[in-house]
Amino acid sequence: MANGGPVEHGYPHLETVRDAVTALYRRLSYDTVRTFSVSVAPADVAFCDTDDLHLGAQRVAREMVRHYRLPDARLIVGFREMTHAANVELAAGPEYFVELNDRFRTHRRDIGAALAHEVAHVYLHRLGLSFPGTRDNEILTDTAATYLGAGWLLLDAFREDGASSQKLGYLTPEEFGYVLAKRSLLFGEDPSVWFTSAQAYTAYGKGMTLARHDEQQPPLTAAGWAGRRRYARDRRHAREHTARAGARQEVPYSFTADGHGPLRVSFPCPTCHQRIRVPVRGRVRARCGLCRTVLECDT
């Protein structure tokens, strides 16, 4: 939890975020991801200063349990002085003890954001889905919470001005915005109408720009003129040097040839980031086997 200190910006964890989206689809399946088409509603996690602290925290925790479809999980929420925003004990269940930073005693509107992350930990724990290392696993948790409809609260908890700052979660504001934009493009849901933080709205806009950029990369037909020209040059080079065809770090696609077979191009699905491999033969319609997105390509 950044509290008054500098807030990291940009996309330093982007590769891990994309891996997390792919991992969600692989573990949950397309059908299960689609059941999270409706986000947590602001009214369901609203918390005003006149609400009883403990009863209110338990009410919000129950709403998060409902959202993540954990009907047999019971959260017991307490408060104590700590460095991090919150902590949950990932025992066998069905009871889970969540500790929130004492700061939330007086910043109650952000309790929903903290619980969105902690209950996501419980959800992923039940699924048996994790990444190695604390950093990557926390990025997976933030990404899952956001992609599954609760993490917009984490971005909305980001506030920054000349005198102070607050940010919850491990993703940067722009990375939260990116995952939210991915979700918005999938479900047609606009979370920005719920934001109370002007900085959250800005971060979401930047994330949406990057998310749309993913959909405009060759060999997709939505790619711009410059991208298409670069792709044609790389394709020509791959055909002339088949034995050395491969990937360039600065572009998302790579060319491969199977012995004497046709040249193929591999590129990430703009929805789930699983790599798709198709023959280089002009106009092709490809369907991602993981997220079922149909892609119009000009290979």
Side-chain angles (χ1 to χ4, degrees), residues 12-283:
H13 316 113
L14 186 59
E15 183 177 351
T16 307
V17 167
R18 288 170 170 166
D19 288 344
V21 173
T22 307
L24 274 179
Y25 274 97
R26 286 177 177 163
R27 182 63 184 86
L28 293 181
S29 81
Y30 164 85
D31 291 324
T32 302
V33 170
R34 298 293 300 190
T35 65
F36 288 90
S37 61
V38 178
S39 290
V40 172
D44 292 336
V45 293
F47 204 136
C48 66
D49 292 339
T50 58
D51 290 342
D52 180 274
L53 177 64
H54 294 281
L55 292 178
Q58 292 296 151
R59 172 181 57 79
V60 175
R62 286 193 299 271
E63 177 58 29
M64 289 299 168
V65 166
R66 183 204 64 77
H67 178 75
Y68 287 108
R69 294 158 179 78
L70 299 168
D72 59 334
R74 297 190 298 274
L75 265 67
I76 300 172
V77 183
F79 297 81
R80 72 173 176 88
E81 290 187 14
M82 57 197 302
T83 302
H84 298 291
N87 180 63
V88 61
E89 294 183 12
L90 294 175
E95 289 188 340
Y96 298 89
F97 294 89
V98 178
E99 295 176 315
L100 299 182
N101 193 300
D102 267 340
R103 171 184 173 84
F104 292 113
R105 291 179 181 272
T106 55
H107 292 74
R108 300 183 182 184
R109 68 172 179 169
D110 296 325
I111 285 178
L115 289 174
H117 178 93
E118 299 309 316
V119 182
H121 267 304
V122 175
Y123 181 68
L124 296 175
H125 175 69
R126 293 254 185 122
L127 288 174
L129 177 57
S130 64
F131 279 178
T134 299
R135 169 191 171 275
D136 286 0
N137 201 52
E138 292 292 351
I139 291 170
L140 168 65
T141 304
D142 275 342
T143 303
T146 306
Y147 202 79
L148 299 180
W152 69 267
L153 291 158
L154 286 158
L155 178 55
D156 194 41
F158 167 52
R159 290 180 285 278
E160 187 175 38
D161 56 38
S164 63
S165 63
Q166 174 185 280
K167 187 187 77 70
L168 303 183
Y170 285 70
L171 300 186
T172 67
E174 292 78 16
E175 288 167 342
F176 273 121
Y178 174 74
V179 181
L180 271 178
K182 288 288 191 181
R183 173 182 170 81
S184 176
L185 293 172
L186 178 67
F187 293 120
E189 182 184 71
D190 181 10
S192 64
V193 298
W194 303 323
F195 292 152
T196 61
S197 164
Q199 292 82 9
Y201 190 91
T202 300
Y204 174 66
K206 292 180 179 179
M208 179 61 79
T209 298
L210 181 58
R212 291 194 182 280
H213 183 69
D214 288 347
E215 299 180 336
Q216 298 166 353
Q217 293 297 302
L220 300 175
T221 56
W225 177 82
R228 296 296 313 161
R229 185 177 182 183
R230 180 187 61 201
Y231 177 84
R233 183 184 66 242
D234 292 341
R235 179 180 58 199
R236 183 172 59 253
H237 183 272
R239 280 175 170 158
E240 293 171 355
H241 306 83
T242 303
R244 290 179 289 170
R248 287 171 45 198
Q249 289 188 347
E250 64 269 25
V251 296
Y253 53 83
S254 61
F255 295 97
T256 58
D258 298 329
H260 298 289
L263 190 68
R264 292 176 177 270
V265 62
S266 171
F267 60 96
C269 170
T271 299
C272 70
H273 302 290
Q274 175 174 262
R275 292 196 74 83
I276 298 171
R277 194 161 172 255
V278 297
V280 176
R281 63 182 185 199
R283 288 269 180 167

